Amino acid sequence: MTRYPDLQLYIGGSWKKASAGLPVLNPADESVIGTVPVATRADLDEALAAAADGFRIWSRTSPRRRAEVMVKAAALMRERVEEIAYSITLEHGKPLAQAQLEVIRGCEFFEWDAAEGQRTYGRVIPSEPGIKYVVMHQPIGMVAAFSPWNFPMSQPARKIAGALAAGCSIILKAAEETPAGAMHIAHALHDAGLPPGVFNLVFGIPAEISQYLIPQEQTRLIAFTGSTAVGKHLTRIAADHMKPVLMELGGHAPVIVCDDVDPVAAALVSATRKARNTGQVCTSPTRFFVQKPIYEAFARTFAEKARSVVVGNGLDSATQMGPLANYRRIEAMEMLVADARAKGARVLAGGERIGNSGYFFPVTVLADVPDDARAMREEPFGPLALISPVSSLDEAIAKANSLPFGLAAYAFTHSASNADRLADEIEAGNVSINTLEASVAETPFGGVKDSGYGREGGAEGLSHYTIIKNVSHRMAI
Ligand code: NAD
């Protein structure tokens, strides 16, 4: 029978209980489903020592063997998909089917990076006779990684896979609110034969752990996914210690809907995508800039589809959208909707919390949202769709680029010249046309401006986990 796992730290290849813990809540009914251990300073020191040993072993393990372990772990997680998905639904709230897709996506990150880790080629630079210049890519060292709660399994998977594929060891502090996803990865890596210390999993007080781990001499990369505010804070600490960072931060994705497409088809795809993960996705489509001739038809269809989304407990097979993951998101939705309303936005669907037990909030469609509404500038990170009319592609591009964010951007158009302009002019790390998928394992993912720096995935993803070393070798002195 599937059950929520016993939560522990994973340090030096062993499971460890802690004397202090924090409750983990089920956002569908606010019941306590587990206690996440809080790591002490001594636990962190143990993890650092283990990761130093792990790095010595793993960096000298052949890329082929590393890939074997990673692929085996992914295969185990595929076998355990139902059990892992059940834990994710309990702690995060998303429907089981979405949790299963998340697990598969996490496995794909492992499989892709495992293969890429065997291709971190260097180069030989043409030189005069008697000397050779060789460029090598070596694992950067121990990675201190921090993953958020919106995808309890695939967010940790992305960071762990990158580090392991490059030959690094890693201490991951996964999200305290959704710890089971990362625990399942630890189990799979352990069972697949990962040497002790290569991967270490801790939980605790986020600010205390990052403040302690980042300055450590052996920490060579800080990899973080989360809000821009926390990302900037960690980057400042890293700068004081000259540590490189990989930052996947907030977004506020624009969607430009051109008048050459069917507004009904575009609205149906958009509303369905908006409901994914209850909108708690850094690439969630949020600001819809729709050309005037199709504006009303798009907004009307979007609202109808939004109202039809079945909201409920993720364990119920009829549920299409689960609760928000925590009460902070309910407060944020209520504040953003009230502000937009006060500034003149029309509420076409949703707008109010559902019930008062569990963190349920419907897909909420706001039309005619003025530029000065807070929701137009602050990442809602919830099921809010903001729809505004635009007169031209120029206006749409200017609005899309007007925020400090630049993670994902989308457009619907059948015009090759529109698509070409959008690809060139939109300021974002990922631009998707006629699809609301921002990235897959084989494409690089990351942001520009306040959305962070660095890329995960694709052929580019491992570059942050390696250093470039140039070796000049004269054959005789
Ligand atoms: P938050 O900014 O407090 O936390 C975001 C994440 O960072 C959490 O996982 C948290 O544990 C971690 N964190 C916070 N302070 C930290 C520190 N000093 N050191 C290390 N880790 C730290 O906010 P929140 O209420 O949990 O989430 C709200 C906002 O975070 C959202 O509005 C969204 O913008 C952002 N967020 C982004 C992503 C993403 O995928 N980019 C994921 C989750 C949250």
Side-chain angles (χ1 to χ4, degrees):
M1 202 187 92
T2 12
R3 59 178 182 84
Y4 193 72
D6 180 26
L7 302 168
Q8 298 188 28
L9 309 172
Y10 181 69
I11 297 175
S14 301
W15 294 100
K16 208 173 170 215
K17 291 190 186 297
S19 52
L22 298 166
V24 180
L25 300 187
N26 178 344
D29 59 13
E30 302 173 50
S31 62
V32 176
I33 52 174
T35 302
V36 66
V38 172
T40 60
R41 188 60 69 84
D43 293 325
L44 297 181
D45 285 337
E46 207 184 307
L48 284 162
D53 291 343
F55 181 66
R56 268 189 293 279
I57 297 166
W58 196 240
S59 59
R60 291 172 200 166
T61 299
S62 76
R64 186 184 289 263
R65 174 65 193 148
R66 286 180 207 147
E68 280 169 5
V69 173
M70 292 177 68
V71 168
K72 176 84 198 297
L76 290 171
M77 289 188 281
R78 283 178 184 273
E79 277 172 24
R80 300 170 186 172
V81 60
E82 287 183 10
E83 185 188 351
I84 304 174
Y86 177 81
S87 308
I88 292 175
T89 294
L90 275 193
E91 66 186 10
H92 179 276
K94 70 186 74 181
L96 270 177
Q98 283 184 34
Q100 291 188 0
L101 287 176
E102 178 187 336
V103 176
I104 299 304
R105 188 170 160 86
C107 291
E108 288 168 356
F109 293 154
F110 269 86
E111 292 153 355
W112 173 267
D113 281 351
E116 279 300 300
Q118 298 172 79
R119 293 192 277 266
T120 50
Y121 304 129
R123 120 188 109 97
V124 178
I125 296 174
S127 59
E128 62 188 77
I131 190 161
K132 273 212 161 68
Y133 302 121
V134 177
V135 179
M136 293 159 51
H137 296 263
Q138 292 184 311
I140 194 168
M142 192 210 89
V143 179
F146 304 88
S147 61
W149 46 261
N150 58 338
F151 290 96
M153 187 273 179
S154 65
Q155 291 277 25
R158 202 149 213 176
K159 305 220 169 332
I160 301 166
L164 297 190
C168 301
S169 61
I170 174 168
I171 300 178
L172 173 77
K173 190 208 76 62
E176 289 69 26
E177 287 162 312
T178 57
M183 286 239 351
H184 281 291
I185 300 177
H187 277 292
L189 286 167
H190 185 92
D191 296 346
L194 187 76
V198 180
F199 170 61
N200 306 276
L201 177 63
V202 298
F203 304 99
I205 310 302
E208 287 178 12
I209 296 181
S210 53
Q211 183 73 51
Y212 190 63
L213 290 184
I214 293 172
Q216 298 291 332
E217 194 280 328
Q218 74 183 79
T219 300
R220 298 298 167 86
L221 173 72
I222 290 85
F224 172 77
T225 297
S227 63
T228 295
V230 174
K232 286 183 177 178
H233 170 67
L234 298 189
T235 300
R236 278 190 286 269
I237 302 175
D240 277 345
H241 301 274
M242 201 45 77
K243 312 278 185 183
V245 299
L246 173 54
M247 290 281 151
E248 300 292 359
L249 308 178
H252 203 315
V255 184
I256 295 175
V257 188
C258 298
D259 58 11
D260 63 294
V261 299
D262 172 7
V264 171
L268 291 175
V269 172
S270 300
T272 303
R273 191 68 178 178
K274 187 71 236 182
R276 175 179 173 243
N277 222 38
T278 321
Q280 300 160 119
V281 190
C282 48
T283 59
S284 187
T286 300
R287 292 177 294 145
F288 292 85
F289 299 117
V290 186
Q291 286 197 315
K292 281 182 178 157
I294 59 166
Y295 179 71
E296 283 303 334
F298 180 88
R300 192 172 53 246
T301 309
F302 200 126
E304 279 163 16
K305 180 70 181 168
R307 282 193 290 269
S308 78
V309 171
V310 180
V311 182
N313 189 318
L315 294 179
D316 182 341
S317 60
T319 295
Q320 294 171 323
M321 189 174 88
L324 286 159
N326 51 59
Y327 186 67
R328 299 190 299 286
R329 305 293 353 118
I330 288 278
E331 290 176 314
M333 293 312 105
E334 288 177 340
M335 180 275 288
L336 292 173
V337 172
D339 174 78
R341 243 188 177 137
K343 288 179 175 140
R346 281 187 289 149
V347 182
L348 300 187
E352 280 172 24
R353 182 179 181 183
I354 304 170
N356 56 11
S357 165
Y359 309 132
F360 297 101
F361 202 91
V363 179
T364 294
V365 183
L366 303 177
D368 308 341
V369 189
D371 291 343
D372 65 344
R374 286 182 67 171
M376 287 296 264
R377 288 173 284 120
E378 297 172 25
E379 181 181 25
F381 221 67
L384 296 197
L386 317 170
I387 310 184
S388 308
V390 286
S391 306
S392 65
L393 194 58
D394 285 338
E395 185 188 354
I397 292 174
K399 288 194 165 185
N401 288 342
S402 66
L403 295 189
F405 297 111
L407 192 57
Y410 310 95
F412 291 102
T413 181
H414 291 307
S415 152
S417 68
N418 281 354
D420 201 44
R421 265 198 77 188
L422 289 159
D424 277 352
E425 296 179 30
I426 293 286
E427 295 171 358
N430 295 74
V431 177
S432 304
I433 294 165
N434 297 332
T435 165
L436 295 175
E437 184 74 67
S439 74
V440 291
E442 53 267 43
T443 56
F445 174 69
V448 297
K449 305 198 281 187
D450 271 3
S451 293
Y453 22 83
R455 294 293 178 268
E456 293 184 308
E460 291 79 3
L462 294 193
S463 62
H464 308 282
Y465 293 94
T466 57
I467 54 140
I468 295 169
K469 184 181 279 177
N470 175 54
V471 178
S472 303
H473 182 181
R474 192 172 285 286
M475 299 306 143
I477 52 167

